[in-house]
Amino acid sequence: MKLSFFQTTIEQRLVNLERTVTELKRLLIASPIPSNWLEKVTGSISDEQTFLEVLEYGKSLHYADKPTDETSE
């Protein structure tokens, strides 16, 4: 009896997975693919101030794990 429940669960999960893959394929085919990375990101940040804030945030993450060199200060 437990095996039957397990089998049903696997079959249900497989059906859901197949539906999801089909939907992802449909979306992938329907969306235009830019020829290069620049086309993908162009216009993604609408104003310069936001862009500068994102750069600063990225820098802070980049340097967050680096030890500070107390001798150079």
Side-chain angles (χ1 to χ4, degrees), residues 12-69:
Q12 289 170 345
R13 292 178 69 191
L14 182 58
V15 167
N16 289 338
L17 181 62
E18 288 172 340
R19 285 182 188 149
T20 302
V21 168
T22 300
E23 178 65 12
L24 288 172
K25 283 181 178 180
R26 185 189 67 75
L27 291 172
L28 186 61
I29 290 169
S31 62
I33 300 172
S35 60
N36 64 42
W37 68 270
L38 186 57
E39 288 179 20
K40 291 180 184 179
V41 298
T42 299
S44 60
I45 298 178
S46 60
D47 65 75
E48 185 178 355
Q49 182 59 37
T50 302
F51 179 71
L52 295 174
E53 289 175 17
V54 169
L55 285 179
E56 285 303 313
Y57 181 69
K59 284 182 188 177
S60 69
L61 290 177
H62 178 73
Y63 293 112
D65 293 333
K66 296 189 180 212
T68 56
D69 185 9

